[in-house]
Amino acid sequence: NLRVTVLGYDFGVNRTTSRFDLDDGRSTNKLMALSIPEGIPTGDYLLKVTVGNHEHRESTYRMIRVQ
């Protein structure tokens, strides 16, 4: 019962996937579309990406570029 959440604090993006299962030693890909509000200035923005469930959680940060 994992979920992936993406937070973009600078422009108010908060997206979460539906729940999914992942067996030990396995991997998967999840595609998420982010709607960037109009008027956001061109530049680099930090996103927080978290995967987890009620017992474990792990986060990483990624930069995106808005042009």
Side-chain angles (χ1 to χ4, degrees), residues 1-65:
N1 283 331
L2 297 171
R3 286 186 185 199
V4 177
T5 301
V6 176
L7 298 172
Y9 297 107
D10 292 325
F11 42 84
V13 169
N14 182 348
R15 297 285 307 209
T16 301
T17 65
S18 57
R19 293 181 192 269
F20 62 96
D21 290 325
L22 190 61
D23 294 330
D24 286 342
R26 303 285 301 200
S27 64
T28 190
N29 294 309
K30 292 292 177 184
L31 178 65
M32 297 177 76
L34 301 177
S35 296
I36 308 300
E38 286 190 41
I40 293 295
T42 298
D44 294 332
Y45 294 90
L46 187 65
L47 296 178
K48 180 180 181 183
V49 181
T50 302
V51 62
N53 59 22
H54 64 281
E55 294 179 19
H56 303 285
R57 186 177 333 160
E58 216 170 300
S59 296
T60 190
Y61 294 86
R62 294 292 182 257
M63 296 296 293
I64 63 166
R65 175 162 291 159

